[in-house]
């Protein structure tokens, strides 16, 4: 495990003055902020802190045989409930009662009050959706809920589906659902909630785990054939729905990274990333063609091409300034991953501007930025590129591919990343 100077360690989670922090959810593909700006409950990261008053719930009474009318009457009370519609004449309703030992946080596409963290579809390339939203979003309006223990060790558990404004969860006739051995009901949501827990925590030694599906009651299953198949996977008794540092949550349209308060305390801060950027620029790397000095723009100007911007050939990693050698002379056109031939080694591949990864939560260590994801050109530490290159993220209804965490652009090549070769100044 790496260690940082005291000034680089985040103290927000370990401070005794503020509210107790359970952890944070960070949206993959948002490099430090949403492209359309952070607005209220719609933002790139969400902190889960102990609430002033516990709002957790736990299952209580099970009404095993209700007509739809009776189910509606039960559901209209002040209590939370989950309704499992088995047929037009038969609904099972599970009432939930207040749990003073837990806090509940809800995540989904809906902007209704019960949703704590509003998540919209992430578009590869960091061009997140505007308020118009994707025409047909696959993210559920009430996608999932996380229940955190109010007392140490503050464990956080994830469950599929969230309660709506009338405190209900409805699983219709077409939803996958079943009765368990103890008589309780369970089910899956339409496009499912997938979770991947890393092995060896979230560190330099981390390895990706298996993707699993989480049920409405928090049980763990192998994946269905496709996201919306009515046939559930096999139950995995040996695994749990408890989130660990580095757990990934996929909502079919957006993927979230869970970082615990302890994990965040060991993570480099924006201040530390800024120091690494200044150190890199202080080395005055040069373009081997134009001999001009290169510099990474400030973390705040992370989307505007700068004239000193470093560019790199993604096959070989040779870093240059922008030049028209062997191709077009328009940076905006070249930024779209055009094939170019490197003047240093003749390797052909995408020629792209380099951008520093600005979201500290994605880093597995605090080492200098020496590698770039290919072909997008986001730069971070070697171990960070190596870790994320191994993870196959859900894509669509049944595909998986490795992607850059900063922009979710699919990776290419054998490794999905390249070591950058900077030329030092000649003087």
């Amino acid at each position: 495990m790496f260690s940082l100077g005291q000034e680089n360690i985040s103290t927000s989670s370990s401070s005794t003055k503020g509210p107790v922090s359970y952890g944070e959810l960070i949206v993959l593909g948002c490099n430090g902020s949403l492209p359309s700006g952070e607005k209220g409950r719609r933002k790139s990261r969400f902190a889960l802190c102990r609430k002033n008053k516990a709002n957790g719930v736990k299952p209580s009474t099970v009404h095993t045989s209700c007509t739809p009318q009776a189910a509606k009457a039960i559901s209209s009370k002040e209590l939370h409930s989950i309704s499992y519609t088995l047929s037009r004449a038969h609904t099972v309703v599970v009432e939930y009662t207040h749990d003073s030992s837990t806090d509940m946080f809800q995540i989904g596409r809906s902007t209704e009050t019960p949703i704590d963290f509003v998540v919209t579809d992430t578009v590869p390339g960091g061009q997140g959706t505007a308020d118009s939203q994707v025409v047909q979003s696959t993210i559920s309006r009430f996608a999932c809920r996380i229940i955190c223990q109010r007392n140490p060790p503050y464990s956080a558990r994830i469950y599929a589906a969230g309660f709506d404004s009338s405190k209900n969860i409805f699983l219709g006739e077409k939803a996958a659902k079943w009765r368990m051995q103890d008589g309780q009901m369970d089910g899956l949501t339409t496009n499912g909630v997938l979770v991947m827990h890393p092995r060896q925590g979230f560190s330099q030694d981390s390895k990706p785990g298996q993707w699993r599906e989480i049920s409405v009651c928090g049980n763990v299953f192998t994946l269905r054939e496709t996201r919306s198949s009515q046939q559930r996977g096999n139950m995995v008794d040996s695994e749990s729905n408890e989130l660990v540092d580095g757990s990934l949550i996929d909502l079919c349209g957006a993927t979230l990274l869970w970082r615990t308060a302890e994990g965040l305390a060991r993570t480099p801060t924006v201040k530390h990333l800024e120091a690494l950027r200044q150190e890199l620029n202080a080395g005055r790397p040069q373009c081997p063609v134009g001999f001009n000095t290169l510099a990474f723009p400030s973390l705040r100007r992370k989307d505007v091409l700068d004239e000193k911007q470093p560019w790199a050939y993604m096959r070989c990693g040779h870093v240059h300034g922008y030049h028209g050698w062997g191709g077009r002379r328009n940076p905006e056109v070249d930024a779209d991953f055009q094939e170019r031939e490197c003047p240093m080694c003749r390797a052909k591949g995408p020629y792209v501007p380099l951008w520093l990864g600005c979201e500290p939560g994605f880093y597995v260590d605090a080492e200098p930025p020496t590698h770039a994801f290919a072909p997008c050109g986001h730069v971070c530490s070697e171990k960070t590129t190596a870790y994320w290159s191994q993870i196959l993220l859900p894509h669509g209804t049944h595909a998986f591919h490795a992607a850059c965490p900063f922009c979710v652009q699919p990776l290419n090549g054998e490794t999905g990343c390249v070591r950058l070769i900077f030329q030092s100044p000649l003087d």
Side-chain angles (χ1 to χ4, degrees), residues 390-410:
Q390 296 173 64
I391 296 177
L392 297 179
L393 295 171
H395 176 68
T397 56
H398 56 270
F400 288 80
H401 62 213
C404 167
F406 301 105
C407 68
V408 296
Q409 196 78 246

Side-chain angles (χ1 to χ4, degrees), residues 191-258:
N191 287 325
V193 173
L194 307 189
V195 171
M196 189 277 283
H197 303 304
R199 290 179 283 133
Q200 278 116 37
F202 192 73
S203 69
Q204 306 172 54
D205 306 314
S206 295
K207 294 281 182 245
Q210 293 279 334
W211 281 100
R212 303 295 193 202
E213 180 162 10
I214 303 297
S215 73
V216 172
C217 293
N219 291 309
V220 182
F221 293 85
T222 58
L223 303 188
R224 292 180 264 183
E225 264 187 42
T226 61
R227 290 293 285 249
S228 57
S229 169
Q230 286 187 271
Q231 188 62 45
R232 72 175 191 266
N234 299 319
M235 193 164 173
V236 186
D237 287 323
S238 57
E239 296 177 25
S240 87
N241 63 336
E242 186 175 336
L243 298 173
V244 298
D245 193 32
S247 288
L248 286 170
I249 301 163
D250 188 81
L251 304 177
C252 197
T255 308
L256 313 177
L257 172 70
W258 168 255

Side-chain angles (χ1 to χ4, degrees), residues 17-70:
K17 290 179 183 176
V20 170
S21 170
Y22 301 130
E24 290 190 21
L25 290 167
I26 307 169
V27 183
L28 264 61
C30 300
N31 192 12
S33 62
L34 290 182
S36 55
E38 311 273 301
K39 296 169 189 164
R41 289 171 294 150
R42 188 178 298 170
K43 44 197 168 187
S44 63
R45 62 193 296 161
F46 172 66
L48 283 73
C49 297
R50 186 160 64 190
K51 297 181 184 259
N52 292 333
K53 188 181 176 189
N55 73 331
V57 294
K58 57 188 176 185
S60 59
T61 315
V62 180
H63 302 268
T64 54
S65 186
C66 302
T67 60
Q69 291 79 11

Side-chain angles (χ1 to χ4, degrees), residues 327-348:
R328 295 178 181 80
R329 294 177 179 272
N330 183 343
E332 298 300 328
V333 175
D334 276 331
D336 291 333
F337 307 157
Q338 301 291 330
E339 288 273 307
R340 287 278 296 266
E341 183 181 88
C342 174
M344 302 293 285
C345 66
R346 302 286 178 177
K348 287 185 179 177

